[in-house]
Amino acid sequence: KSTTKEVLIERNAIQPMAALGVEFIAPVVIPASNEIWYTATALVHAHYYKDKFGEGTDLVSNKWDESTGKGVITLSGPITKVSGNAFYDRDALISISFPNSVTTIGDNSNSVFTGCPNLETVKFGSNVQFIGYQAFSGCANLKNVVLPESLTTIGESAFNSCTALKTITIPAGVTSIGDFAFNGIS
């Protein structure tokens, strides 16, 4: 931030003050309930089937700006889940952000992001309760993951072989962690 007015901050004459630092943090912006935001080196198509994003959701658009690498997938209705092989084998994908309407990432039989070796950052909405079987398995560059407090279940092999992931905090509400959920993480 800047100002054209002069600002004077005086030290207390009786007790010395520690150095003063000011940090401005950009507000967190969350995708609309019918959007998935992503960053990629090329346009990323979802493996689109109606059952992968929730009832009654049809693909409206997928826009990607080559100059910024930013894209947005827009669906006709609120996104409540991201399941099946929705983003399987998308090596151009670098980061992805989900809206707060999403409660489920993956299911018990298919991986969502397996084959996304360049995926580095995942931003979950605040209502994700379930991360399923092999959801992020093999995402070797995945290093920025903050699990939401709403999470209750981490499925089998969910973060298997995510070798760049050095730390992850498990929310207190998690009641189930599947076998090999964090296998291959050092």
Side-chain angles (χ1 to χ4, degrees), residues 19-177:
L20 178 64
V22 178
E23 181 180 350
F24 293 97
I25 299 173
V28 175
V29 181
I30 299 168
S33 67
N34 66 331
E35 295 178 342
I36 297 173
W37 296 349
Y38 67 92
T39 305
T41 57
L43 179 69
V44 172
H45 293 285
H47 291 283
Y48 181 74
Y49 301 98
K50 287 185 181 191
D51 64 334
K52 289 193 178 8
F53 298 103
E55 296 273 333
T57 56
D58 291 315
L59 184 63
V60 173
S61 68
N62 183 4
K63 297 177 183 172
W64 179 72
D65 183 339
E66 184 176 1
S67 65
T68 63
K70 295 183 187 271
V72 60
I73 296 170
T74 305
L75 301 167
S76 61
I79 302 163
T80 57
K81 66 179 180 176
V82 181
S83 64
N85 295 325
F87 291 96
Y88 174 79
D89 204 21
R90 298 297 181 224
D91 61 358
L93 189 59
I94 296 169
S95 72
I96 194 157
S97 298
F98 298 108
N100 286 335
S101 57
V102 174
T103 60
T104 302
I105 305 287
D107 52 35
N108 286 321
S109 61
N110 294 305
S111 55
V112 179
F113 292 97
T114 295
C116 297
N118 296 309
L119 182 63
E120 295 178 1
T121 304
V122 177
K123 294 181 182 174
F124 298 102
S126 61
N127 293 309
V128 172
Q129 299 169 11
F130 180 88
I131 296 175
Y133 173 77
Q134 293 187 343
F136 298 95
S137 182
C139 294
N141 284 314
L142 187 61
K143 55 187 162 198
N144 297 312
V145 175
V146 177
L147 299 175
E149 291 298 319
S150 57
L151 190 65
T152 60
T153 303
I154 300 172
E156 182 179 338
S157 300
F159 294 94
N160 180 46
S161 298
C162 294
T163 54
L165 191 58
K166 299 300 178 199
T167 61
I168 191 163
T169 302
I170 309 294
V174 172
T175 57
S176 176
I177 298 176

